[in-house]
Amino acid sequence: MSAPEIRIDPLTGLRAIVAGARADRPGGELRATPAPELDPAEDPFAEGELVGTCRLVMVGSTAQFSRLAVRADARRQGVATSLLREADRE
């Protein structure tokens, strides 16, 4: 059995314990139900839909990140995380 691995989240700096041996236990296998079909008229991520915004200002060699906002019906779907990743790439 392998020892648990400690990883550091690159965004938050928090530590997470990854116990790979847990997958060998009964019920440890990966399983997921298919997502329901999306209605393009209701899809908050459809082309042309504004679902989130943030501000990135360069002050000298320092980037200042602020004013992160996500539309209420698009929250808890990874929009803010995607904005943070894109801002980090800049």
Side-chain angles (χ1 to χ4, degrees):
M1 186 182 310
S2 63
E5 177 184 346
I6 297 176
R7 295 183 185 171
I8 298 176
D9 184 302
L11 293 176
T12 65
L14 298 175
R15 291 176 177 83
I17 297 174
V18 180
R22 292 188 69 144
D24 297 334
R25 296 180 183 174
E29 67 278 348
L30 295 175
R31 58 180 174 256
T33 56
E37 288 292 321
L38 291 175
D39 176 5
E42 299 291 323
D43 184 2
F45 298 103
E47 187 71 30
E49 290 285 324
L50 178 64
V51 294
T53 185
C54 68
R55 182 172 80 165
L56 187 64
V57 178
M58 295 302 295
V59 178
S61 62
T62 303
Q64 294 181 348
F65 180 86
S66 64
R67 297 188 183 177
L68 174 66
V70 177
R71 198 171 71 191
D73 64 335
R75 292 181 186 152
R76 312 278 314 154
Q77 298 177 46
V79 174
T81 300
S82 295
L83 286 169
L84 285 167
R85 282 190 185 130
E86 287 302 315
D88 190 47
R89 281 201 259 192
E90 289 294 319

